[in-house]
Amino acid sequence: MTKNLVIDLVPLLPGGQNGGAKLVALNLIQGLQQYIAVDRTWQVILLTAHWNQAELEQYTNDRITCKTLQHLTQGHLSFSRLTKKIRYKVSQLPIFPSLLTKLEADLLFCPFSNPTLNSIDVPCVSILHDIQHWEYPQFFSPQELRHRYQYFKRMIQYSDLIICVSHFSKRSLYNYGEHHHLYPKATTVIYNYFKTSASYIEGNQSLENPVLEKYQLKSIPYLLYPANYWPHKNHQRLLQAYAEYLQWYRQSSPESPCFHLVFTGTVATAEQAIKTLTQTLQLTDYVHFLGYLDDRAFETIWSHCQGLIFPSLYEGFGLPIVEAMERSKPILCSQIPALEEVTQGACLYFNPSDLDSIVAALRSFTLNPQLRETLKQQSQARYQYFENLNPVNDYLALFQEMLN
């Protein structure tokens, strides 16, 4: 008997505006393509909007179809600071109360957390990525904080199962729920890493060289920070620490190379503020802003970096950490709960709130080639754990369990 899985992808935006949540959703759909080709008991319906329809149609086949919701404009989306927060007012539209019934949905899956289209007759599964606003309310306006409370209240109340992306995010959910007297029906943990074909470009100079030449990185050693310019990503403090590191490097003139910084990501207004700070600190020759990259260019930038630097103040999981492990890259990162869970010590930690700690990590990485090699080996070893995971199978097993 065919089972209809409806996936709400209306909140998915072009480019990188959704952060890691978009990667999780798209990687899961890619994985479903392969599984459904064998297990043909599933029929998947992707709910889309006009702003993402073209991007998502590439994933369709005889078992995966798109249903584009009409009457929606981007006015139904509110991104006051372009966070991973999704706020769309589709519940106000008259077509939605019966939508799942019309689609004969057996299960609703919400990879962007909020079950806006839920129906009491259809089981609902949501993903929780993080509850950043609870620990860092200073990054949000009062209006956004009120919205986020309603957002998470709805997710907890209407989700029959909440999939947390880490044990840390699960603990945060229960702490948050207890504080607000909100109690999830059921929860589980699935790490939001999906194995990619990361090596498809490495070593292919005909593909790599144009990218490196375009961004003037062909002969420059650099550390990569792939993140949008949201406050919790901590670009400002990283630049301040890097300015001190650069001053130390010029004064001491070590034989080791001076590592540049490469930033990727979107959010134009916030990016401009970081660029202005870069100019003020006189770092423009050493800090490179590449913007949002397509997959091929991004993989080239990954393959040629000397390591990942990840100074985030808060994460629910920290996907770039595992992406660095997949590519055997040394990792310098914040010592915060989610990243400690993911790395299990296979990195060089620093305190993301302490300039001296970040500078010390940069100096150690620069001065000690053996440390760089050790970090590379640790990264390779830790990746073996994630390589053996099968999140797509885990998701399908949970979906089946919900139907049973």
Side-chain angles (χ1 to χ4, degrees):
M1 180 177 178
T2 301
K3 294 160 286 192
N4 289 331
L5 171 63
V6 176
I7 304 180
D8 181 6
L9 295 176
V10 172
L12 187 146
L13 293 174
Q17 297 177 59
N18 296 112
K22 178 176 179 176
L23 292 176
V24 173
L26 295 184
N27 285 332
L28 178 57
I29 293 169
Q30 287 179 328
L32 288 175
Q33 283 180 315
Q34 300 175 11
Y35 274 77
I36 291 174
V38 178
D39 180 2
R40 300 184 65 81
T41 60
W42 289 95
Q43 184 75 38
V44 177
I45 303 170
L46 308 179
L47 298 182
T48 66
H50 72 83
W51 52 81
N52 59 33
Q53 178 183 2
E55 181 176 4
L56 292 171
E57 282 182 344
Q58 63 180 303
Y59 300 102
T60 60
N61 54 36
D62 65 321
R63 308 300 295 178
I64 301 178
T65 58
C66 284
K67 169 65 177 177
T68 301
L69 304 188
Q70 306 299 325
H71 313 296
L72 284 177
T73 67
Q74 287 200 303
H76 289 103
L77 293 170
S78 174
F79 297 95
S80 57
R81 58 183 275 282
L82 290 177
T83 65
K84 287 183 286 188
K85 157 178 88 68
I86 307 298
R87 181 186 182 187
Y88 58 112
K89 302 177 181 177
V90 293
S91 59
Q92 298 176 3
L93 300 178
I95 65 171
F96 288 103
S98 60
L99 175 63
L100 296 184
T101 301
K102 291 179 179 178
L103 295 175
E104 300 182 343
D106 294 302
L107 183 68
L108 172 65
F109 176 49
C110 304
F112 293 94
S113 300
N114 197 0
T116 306
L117 307 177
N118 71 291
S119 167
I120 60 173
D121 300 323
V122 179
C124 177
V125 178
S126 299
I127 295 181
L128 171 71
H129 294 279
D130 62 59
I131 312 181
Q132 182 204 152
H133 72 284
W134 194 38
E135 295 199 33
Y136 284 92
Q138 65 270 32
F139 294 155
F140 302 88
S141 69
Q143 180 182 3
E144 281 193 48
L145 289 173
R146 288 192 297 269
H147 162 69
R148 282 187 170 239
Y149 169 74
Q150 295 298 330
Y151 177 89
F152 283 99
K153 178 181 179 180
R154 183 178 181 87
M155 180 188 68
I156 293 172
Q157 288 181 333
Y158 294 108
S159 298
D160 297 287
L161 173 66
I162 297 175
I163 299 174
C164 304
V165 299
S166 66
H167 293 282
F168 166 71
S169 67
K170 181 178 177 179
R171 291 193 302 271
S172 299
L173 173 64
Y174 277 97
N175 291 337
Y176 180 84
E178 184 176 358
H179 180 79
H180 292 287
H181 305 289
L182 300 169
Y183 303 102
K185 297 182 182 70
T187 61
T188 191
V189 173
I190 299 179
Y191 285 147
N192 64 355
Y193 166 73
F194 297 79
K195 187 176 180 180
T196 64
S197 55
S199 61
Y200 80 95
I201 195 172
E202 191 167 2
N204 189 333
Q205 293 185 359
S206 65
L207 296 176
E208 294 175 339
N209 286 341
V211 175
L212 296 174
E213 290 170 357
K214 175 181 179 180
Y215 297 109
Q216 300 179 350
L217 293 172
K218 191 170 183 180
S219 59
I220 292 176
Y222 60 88
L223 295 174
L224 176 63
Y225 187 25
N228 283 340
Y229 298 94
W230 295 319
H232 74 282
K233 294 299 185 180
N234 209 22
H235 287 83
Q236 180 175 334
R237 189 170 284 112
L238 174 59
L239 287 176
Q240 292 168 341
Y242 187 78
E244 294 189 17
Y245 160 79
L246 190 58
Q247 183 180 17
W248 161 80
Y249 187 89
R250 288 167 171 165
Q251 292 174 348
S252 58
S253 299
E255 295 182 0
S256 303
C258 176
F259 292 99
H260 290 217
L261 296 179
V262 168
F263 294 158
T264 64
T266 56
V267 189
T269 303
E271 180 183 20
Q272 187 54 53
I274 299 301
K275 285 183 176 179
T276 300
L277 178 60
T278 301
Q279 294 168 354
T280 301
L281 295 173
Q282 299 180 344
L283 301 176
T284 52
D285 291 337
Y286 297 88
V287 180
H288 308 264
F289 294 84
L290 308 192
Y292 179 75
L293 302 174
D294 62 36
D295 290 344
R296 178 163 293 181
F298 191 44
E299 189 53 50
T300 296
I301 299 303
W302 257 121
S303 66
H304 281 265
C305 75
Q306 277 62 52
L308 170 74
I309 187 161
F310 203 75
S312 180
L313 295 169
Y314 183 91
E315 294 293 324
F317 178 73
L319 184 58
I321 297 292
V322 188
E323 291 176 332
M325 294 174 180
E326 183 180 5
R327 296 159 175 83
S328 301
K329 298 298 182 181
I331 299 167
L332 297 77
C333 74
S334 303
Q335 190 165 13
I336 56 176
L339 300 189
E340 288 181 311
E341 178 180 339
V342 172
T343 61
Q344 294 292 302
C347 62
L348 179 60
Y349 289 127
F350 53 77
N351 180 349
S353 299
D354 184 354
L355 286 179
D356 291 339
S357 180
I358 302 174
V359 174
L362 288 168
R363 289 175 60 175
S364 296
F365 188 80
T366 299
L367 290 172
N368 194 337
Q370 184 57 49
L371 172 63
R372 298 197 292 270
E373 181 60 29
T374 298
L375 291 173
K376 177 180 178 180
Q377 294 173 4
Q378 290 177 341
S379 188
Q380 291 174 327
R382 176 60 179 157
Y383 178 64
Q384 293 177 5
Y385 170 81
F386 291 97
E387 190 174 28
N388 292 325
L389 299 180
N390 193 337
V392 177
N393 188 61
D394 294 339
Y395 273 96
L396 283 174
L398 286 174
F399 295 158
Q400 184 62 57
E401 183 178 339
M402 293 298 298
L403 294 180
N404 293 338

